[in-house]
Amino acid sequence: MTSHTLPTDTIVKKPNFETQRFEGRALQSYILSTITIVMAVSACLPLFSVIIMLLYRGGKRFSMEVLYALPPTAFETGGGFGNAIIGTLFMVGLAAAISVPFGILAAIFLAELGPYKKISQICRFCAKTLTGLPSILAGVFSYAAVVLVMGHYSAWAGGIALSLLMIPIVMLTAEEALKMVPKSMKEAAYGMGCTPAQAMMKVLLPVAMPGILTGVFLAVARAAGETAPLLFTALFSEYWLQVNDPTASLAVLIYNYSGSPFENQIELAWCASLVLVVLVFILNIASRALGQRKK
Amino acid sequence: MDSQKELPMKWGESYATPPSFRDRLFDKAFRGMAYIFTTLTIVLLAYILFEIGGKAIPAMQKYGLNLLVSTQWDVNQNIFGILPEIWGTLYSALFALVVGGVFGVAIAIFLTQDFLPHKIEIVLKNIIEMLAAIPSVVYGLWGIFVLIPIIRPFANFLHAYFGWVPFFGTELSGPGLFPGALVLSIMILPTVAAVSQDAFRAIPYKTKEAVYGMGATRWEAILRVMLPTASGGIFGALVLGFGRALGETMALAMLVGNSNQISLSLFSPANTLAALLALNFPEAGTTEVEVLMFAAIVLLVITLVVNVVGQLIINYSQPGGAKR
């Protein structure tokens, strides 16, 4: 009955993890882990590089003047991008004014009124497809549907192009937020004799509001940074905002001036990037803070 | 109860009433609006297809499929061909898919397989997501003034010593496919990482415990169990990233060099459909606009197909995903 007695050395000998690390399977695991760590860290490098360059090159040029002055002409010094800030705010505001009610109302239908209806499934599918719509095609559409109809480039066309990009984000995040509301709260509202509309307005929407705002902030942040759809809907302008004329925006200003041969305009492009990235990051962090509080 | 004392109610009176006419009207209107906007989403997508497609019809009739296989672009003689742009779009997106995909999946593994304490995991995850928040035009600016000067000596070194490899066939003289595609891979990385992380997190914790209980090393567990289990979701993530790379505009419009040629070389200037639209639309004449609308519909069809496929893969590969 030799098989029943264990060889004593396996019990006594403890595995030495320090040397095991350099043998066979453990070595493979060790090497792969190192590679993964290096890859993960190097993936963060572009972010740090961008931020450092923005602070260095954009921060150098930053002054209060850039926030309210008009863009300089080619050989001028100084100047700023006050009109681009106003233009961005106007167009993003317009896009939000269209997409927020649109997205939330559709999300209410998707989450509460008819989640399993055929139309909801098609709508959800269309919204997800719209999320993948290249931003430039939103611009092409807005050009065909608004610019060609109105006969001129305008801030309206730019805002409508941006709203196309915001609608699916707002809709899908709002739907998720509404689904997170505990069922018992809704049932309590109905039990009190609320109509569906009252239950939505007085109970569901207020409870889901942080989640919905997360989506709205994310969508606004994305729209504020979009350039492609504005290239041929809002174009660019060196003057203050006039809604029926070409309108300046921060993103298009960066694009236009990045190819400029004039040092002053390149500096302004960096400075505008800094302002834009700060704006986008604030919106992102705000949305994240709201999302965290929800849990 | 105190609150009952405050309410001046007589016995038998009640605040509970059936919904008034106004309540019911509001309810009807509210539900109607919700229904209308739901339908409107579908109409919107159809309208986008219709508008762009409709404006492209004249060019389709005039040039037909010739446009897709011709390589010349001469506005003055009305000769148009978008084959180099289709090539550039697919080539740059594939490059971005390979680089961004490998990095994205590696990060997803790194963040989900207990390499790090939970708090650092969250910080790193947020940092990666911040990459996606930076507008593409800022990446373009960064690419022109930071990335290209950094990679140019490296690229020209590769060309000098490995010029016989078709990928390094030309010098990098400034903008080119490589810087554009590199920025593209940075831009799709967060998408790939986020969706693959979801796929990894969807694996039940017990599976992981079982694998480690069998005495597997960390990477045996990842390579033999985690990756195959999450492969559906990861594949979907890659397809979605590919779709984003196909449609990305600004980084390429600023970095790709806008040259109408087909070349295997990574360092030669090229062009993509989206960049073509961005660069030529503002000054286009009537015929050119029609041709650009044709290019837009080509891009739209490619990206829609890729996105729909990616979405379907993700829906059917995750437990419970198909229901939504």
Side-chain angles (χ1 to χ4, degrees):
Chain A
M1 296 290 276
T2 44
S3 59
H4 278 228
T5 51
L6 285 164
T8 44
D9 57 333
T10 48
I11 300 172
V12 174
K13 191 180 173 191
K14 284 180 185 168
N16 185 345
F17 291 110
E18 279 310 306
T19 50
Q20 257 191 11
R21 184 181 282 180
F22 302 102
E23 282 162 15
R25 303 159 52 206
L27 180 68
Q28 177 208 19
S29 192
Y30 190 63
I31 291 172
L32 284 173
S33 297
T34 319
I35 293 173
T36 317
I37 292 168
V38 170
M39 281 172 97
V41 172
S42 59
C44 302
L45 285 182
L47 182 74
F48 295 125
S49 167
V50 167
I51 290 173
I52 289 168
M53 285 310 288
L54 283 177
L55 289 176
Y56 173 64
R57 294 196 63 161
K60 213 165 52 175
R61 182 69 167 73
F62 186 82
S63 62
M64 288 318 280
E65 191 199 359
V66 296
L67 297 181
Y68 59 76
L70 282 175
T73 49
F75 291 101
E76 236 179 309
T77 54
F81 39 78
N83 61 342
I85 293 177
I86 303 280
T88 297
L89 290 181
F90 177 81
M91 285 189 283
V92 172
L94 175 65
I98 298 171
S99 61
V100 170
F102 190 131
I104 292 179
L105 277 168
I108 285 175
F109 189 88
L110 292 185
E112 296 301 331
L113 298 178
Y116 301 110
K117 281 189 179 149
K118 195 88 203 155
I119 191 163
S120 303
Q121 277 156 5
I122 302 174
C123 173
R124 226 171 264 138
F125 186 77
C126 285
K128 280 185 180 162
T129 317
L130 274 175
T131 337
L133 183 81
S135 60
I136 186 129
L137 291 179
V140 172
F141 167 74
S142 180
Y143 174 85
V146 184
V147 174
L148 288 183
V149 172
M150 284 175 84
H152 46 74
Y153 298 101
S154 63
W156 303 112
I160 287 169
L162 293 182
S163 73
L164 285 186
L165 301 168
M166 289 175 64
I167 285 170
I169 306 180
V170 174
M171 194 188 296
L172 294 173
T173 45
E175 192 203 343
E176 287 303 314
L178 286 168
K179 274 190 193 154
M180 301 271 269
V181 178
K183 222 175 182 165
S184 51
M185 293 181 93
K186 189 178 64 176
E187 276 160 4
Y190 284 130
M192 301 283 285
C194 283
T195 61
Q198 285 169 330
M200 304 293 157
M201 297 295 282
K202 300 206 167 123
V203 179
L204 271 157
L205 277 181
V207 175
M209 200 39 86
I212 294 175
L213 281 181
T214 304
V216 171
F217 280 167
L218 275 183
V220 168
R222 175 162 179 217
E226 279 295 348
T227 321
L230 300 179
L231 284 177
F232 38 85
T233 51
L235 235 52
F236 187 70
S237 134
E238 314 237 299
Y239 309 103
W240 290 105
L241 174 74
Q242 280 169 310
V243 288
N244 283 322
D245 283 322
T247 306
S249 57
L250 282 172
V252 178
L253 180 128
I254 297 166
Y255 172 65
N256 283 350
Y257 284 2
S258 69
S260 158
F262 305 104
E263 192 54 36
N264 186 30
Q265 293 191 336
I266 294 176
E267 277 175 10
L268 274 183
W270 278 103
C271 195
S273 301
L274 178 67
V275 172
L276 185 58
V277 167
V278 167
L279 181 76
V280 168
F281 274 15
I282 289 174
L283 284 166
N284 258 285
I285 290 165
S287 83
R288 226 152 273 212
L290 279 171
Q292 232 105 69
R293 209 188 58 182
K294 188 179 60 187
K295 289 166 195 165
Chain B
M1 293 273 282
D2 291 341
S3 56
Q4 271 180 338
K5 276 183 200 162
E6 287 164 22
L7 299 172
M9 275 207 299
K10 285 178 190 147
W11 195 87
E13 248 182 37
S14 162
Y15 281 97
T17 49
S20 66
F21 178 69
R22 238 183 71 214
D23 289 339
R24 271 179 294 153
L25 196 67
F26 178 70
D27 184 50
K28 266 262 179 330
F30 185 82
R31 287 209 255 177
M33 290 282 278
Y35 185 76
I36 286 169
F37 278 112
T38 311
T39 332
L40 219 53
T41 317
I42 303 162
V43 175
L44 192 64
L45 189 63
Y47 188 41
I48 290 173
L49 286 168
F50 169 77
E51 266 299 332
I52 302 179
K55 293 285 187 297
I57 284 174
M60 283 182 190
Q61 284 168 342
K62 212 184 287 179
Y63 297 95
L65 293 176
N66 262 345
L67 194 82
L68 298 179
V69 291
S70 156
T71 57
Q72 265 188 317
W73 185 277
D74 192 335
V75 179
N76 297 323
Q77 295 179 32
N78 274 343
I79 302 174
F80 298 104
I82 55 170
L83 186 62
E85 281 75 22
I86 296 177
W87 163 259
T89 306
L90 294 176
Y91 193 28
S92 61
L94 267 178
F95 179 90
L97 179 65
V98 171
V99 177
V102 169
F103 273 83
V105 174
I107 287 165
I109 291 174
F110 187 57
L111 291 182
T112 52
Q113 301 304 316
D114 308 318
F115 281 92
L116 293 171
H118 186 64
K119 276 193 177 157
I120 302 178
E121 240 172 44
I122 288 180
V123 170
L124 199 62
K125 185 168 168 260
N126 283 333
I127 289 179
I128 299 286
E129 272 165 24
M130 279 294 176
L131 276 173
I134 296 180
S136 62
V137 70
V138 175
Y139 274 125
L141 186 74
W142 175 76
I144 293 174
F145 292 103
V146 182
L147 187 67
I148 289 181
I150 290 177
I151 61 175
R152 190 148 63 176
F154 172 68
N156 289 342
F157 168 82
L158 278 179
H159 170 64
Y161 290 93
F162 300 97
W164 45 271
V165 181
F167 298 120
F168 310 134
T170 48
E171 280 202 341
L172 185 71
S173 54
L177 190 77
F178 184 60
L182 206 58
V183 169
L184 212 52
S185 50
I186 298 172
M187 301 185 69
I188 68 164
L189 193 145
T191 315
V192 176
V195 182
S196 319
Q197 276 181 57
D198 290 343
F200 279 118
R201 296 229 163 86
I203 301 176
Y205 201 76
K206 276 184 182 163
T207 312
K208 197 188 275 183
E209 281 173 348
V211 180
Y212 285 133
M214 308 244 310
T217 64
R218 194 202 295 277
W219 277 91
E220 278 168 351
I222 293 170
L223 293 176
R224 300 210 186 141
V225 178
M226 300 302 170
L227 269 177
T229 315
S231 60
I234 293 173
F235 191 61
L238 292 177
V239 177
L240 277 192
F242 188 61
R244 285 207 61 186
L246 288 170
E248 182 49 54
T249 315
M250 294 322 294
L252 286 158
M254 293 165 88
L255 295 170
V256 85
N258 316 304
S259 146
N260 215 41
Q261 56 172 3
I262 299 179
S263 163
L264 249 188
S265 170
L266 285 171
F267 303 143
S268 66
N271 208 351
T272 69
L273 284 170
L276 176 87
L277 290 169
L279 292 158
N280 294 34
F281 229 112
E283 292 116 35
T286 327
T287 327
E288 206 184 346
V289 164
E290 287 163 9
V291 173
L292 289 174
M293 287 291 182
F294 196 168
I297 202 87
V298 172
L299 177 62
L300 183 60
V301 169
I302 296 176
T303 47
L304 281 194
V305 168
V306 170
N307 274 306
V308 167
V309 169
Q311 208 65 61
L312 289 179
I313 292 173
I314 291 180
N315 277 357
Y316 286 106
S317 67
Q318 276 171 10
K323 271 181 280 169
R324 289 199 280 148

